Amino acid sequence: MKEKVTDNPVPNYRFDFKIMDYSRDPETGHLHTLSTLDPDRYELINTKDKKGYWDKFDQCFIPMEVCENIFKQMLNTPILAPGPKIDNIAEYFFERYNLLDTYFSEDTKIELSASEEILYQANKNNVYFNFMSIDLVESTNISRKVNNKTNARIKMLFLKETENIIRKFGGHIFKFEGDGLIAFYTSYNISSKIDNSLDCAGIIKLFIVNVINKFLEKKELPLLYFRIGINFGEAYVENVGNNNEIYGYDLDATCKIRELADENQILVGFSSVTLAHTYWRKILKRKKIQKRKLKRSNLNENTQIYELRI
């Protein structure tokens, strides 16, 4: 309600724009865009007492002085996130489906690798990441139904194909943990980290449900069920032995958020939600979780968690 207007935007605030027109400089080839604040999200308030924008999503008022300050900081800064390295999702799914049989070949060597180079560059620094944690739900059920070798191949298929998609969306692998992994997203701006990770999570879900499980069903093998947690925050990177480690509450919280997810569900922390594009905000729905359940997971009892419904 607008009568509850405050003069302080939510933490980690993000503006969203709608591109009205664009042109390319014939000499430099640079793309110039004409854009405006997204009218689906923002309403201009111009009264005697208040001048600024009302955010319909976050139910907060952003004074004009704050807006102008942010606009100045954004000058000459790209507002469009780089797209994924997949030209056509349907074609990618089809191509990968036809290659899944190779995971069960004796000659196939499957290599999983973490992104050491990226973390090496961030060594002994505080860095802002958008984290993703994904694992299989009740994976012991798979090991009960198939022999050890087949069990290993199914899980390697899951990990490798998930890794492939994450890298296609500009993500990096921090580590593999049993039948799951932790990834992080870096980019030239915070917003693109969030958008890329949400887009990636949706594609991973579609790929597992419609490609991997279709393949496993055809081979009369157990289907895969998963859960994904996403969260944004600051972390500290330091070299320990021969490995680079990431430390911080927001990384730990990502894994806790994942553990609260139901089968085939994607849960997103509030810190990521506030920085998500309007497109994602429309499909992110608040998930009701009891305070005692949050506390049991070592999360703040006021933690807000959202479901990405794809």
Side-chain angles (χ1 to χ4, degrees):
M1 298 295 291
K2 294 178 188 175
E3 49 267 27
K4 295 182 180 178
V5 161
T6 65
D7 289 331
N8 297 311
V10 293
N12 297 323
Y13 191 78
R14 166 193 182 155
F15 273 116
D16 266 338
F17 295 84
K18 186 172 184 179
I19 296 175
M20 311 299 290
D21 197 5
Y22 65 91
S23 62
R24 193 174 294 278
D25 189 310
E27 295 183 5
T28 64
H30 292 161
L31 187 67
H32 299 282
T33 60
L34 176 64
S35 56
T36 183
L37 284 175
D38 191 336
D40 289 338
R41 178 168 181 177
Y42 304 99
E43 180 182 344
L44 177 64
I45 304 295
N46 191 357
T47 66
K48 182 180 178 181
D49 300 322
K50 289 195 175 289
K51 291 184 180 180
Y53 286 91
W54 173 255
D55 186 330
K56 302 171 190 176
F57 282 18
D58 289 321
Q59 295 288 289
C60 68
F61 176 76
I62 305 99
M64 192 59 75
E65 313 87 75
V66 175
C67 297
E68 290 173 350
N69 220 15
I70 294 175
F71 295 156
K72 286 178 183 177
Q73 294 175 31
M74 292 177 62
L75 283 175
N76 301 317
T77 301
I79 62 172
L80 298 176
K85 296 176 182 176
I86 300 177
D87 294 328
N88 184 297
I89 296 296
E91 288 181 6
Y92 178 82
F93 281 12
F94 180 76
E95 290 171 3
R96 295 311 303 174
Y97 178 85
N98 289 329
L99 293 172
L100 296 184
D101 252 324
T102 61
Y103 284 94
F104 297 88
S105 168
E106 294 287 347
D107 300 327
T108 301
K109 293 183 179 180
I110 307 167
E111 296 183 1
L112 302 172
S113 58
S115 302
E116 284 293 319
E117 184 179 345
I118 298 293
L119 292 178
Y120 179 78
Q121 294 171 5
N123 188 32
K124 294 189 177 179
N125 279 295
N126 286 306
V127 185
Y128 282 96
F129 291 129
N130 201 52
F131 295 104
M132 176 191 291
S133 178
I134 178 170
D135 70 356
L136 292 175
V137 178
E138 298 183 1
S139 60
T140 50
N141 286 337
I142 299 175
S143 57
R144 290 195 194 103
K145 296 176 181 178
V146 298
N147 61 46
N148 290 340
K149 182 178 179 181
T150 302
N151 177 43
R153 290 288 171 163
I154 290 174
K155 292 178 180 178
M156 289 298 283
L157 180 160
F158 162 72
L159 290 173
K160 187 62 184 178
E161 290 300 320
T162 301
E163 176 195 348
N164 288 343
I165 294 174
I166 288 171
R167 294 189 188 281
K168 294 286 186 183
F169 279 82
H172 308 277
I173 307 301
F174 168 44
K175 63 171 62 174
F176 294 91
E177 296 184 320
D179 52 15
L181 62 83
I182 299 173
F184 60 93
Y185 293 77
T186 61
S187 187
Y188 55 76
N189 63 43
I190 290 174
S191 299
S192 62
K193 297 178 188 180
I194 310 299
D195 294 342
N196 286 347
S197 62
L198 294 174
D199 199 4
C200 180
I203 296 302
I204 289 172
K205 177 174 181 176
L206 292 174
F207 187 80
I208 293 172
V209 172
N210 298 308
V211 179
I212 292 181
N213 280 348
K214 180 182 175 182
F215 169 80
L216 293 175
E217 185 176 32
K218 182 181 176 181
K219 292 184 74 71
E220 298 183 345
L221 293 171
L223 304 185
L224 302 185
Y225 301 95
F226 63 91
R227 54 189 179 175
I228 298 177
I230 294 174
N231 191 52
F232 171 79
E234 187 178 30
Y236 184 74
V237 180
E238 185 164 8
N239 183 269
V240 180
N242 295 321
N243 300 312
N244 287 294
E245 294 293 334
I246 303 177
Y247 301 97
Y249 170 78
D250 293 301
L251 169 58
D252 296 338
T254 307
C255 299
K256 298 298 182 182
I257 290 171
R258 181 208 69 215
E259 291 171 3
L260 291 170
D262 297 326
E263 186 179 282
N264 292 0
Q265 191 175 51
I266 303 168
L267 293 186
V268 185
F270 185 66
S271 55
S272 292
V273 173
T274 60
L275 291 165
H277 188 275
T278 298
Y279 168 82
W280 298 108
R281 295 296 296 272
K282 289 178 179 178
I283 56 178
L284 282 160
K285 304 300 179 184
R286 178 84 178 270
K287 182 179 175 68
K288 293 182 179 179
I289 300 176
Q290 295 177 338
K291 289 186 176 182
R292 58 186 176 83
K293 196 170 183 180
L294 291 170
K295 191 174 181 180
R296 197 161 58 239
S297 297
N298 292 320
L299 292 169
N300 187 300
E301 63 180 22
N302 295 317
T303 300
Q304 294 183 31
I305 297 175
Y306 289 71
E307 179 187 358
L308 178 61
R309 297 181 179 178
I310 297 290

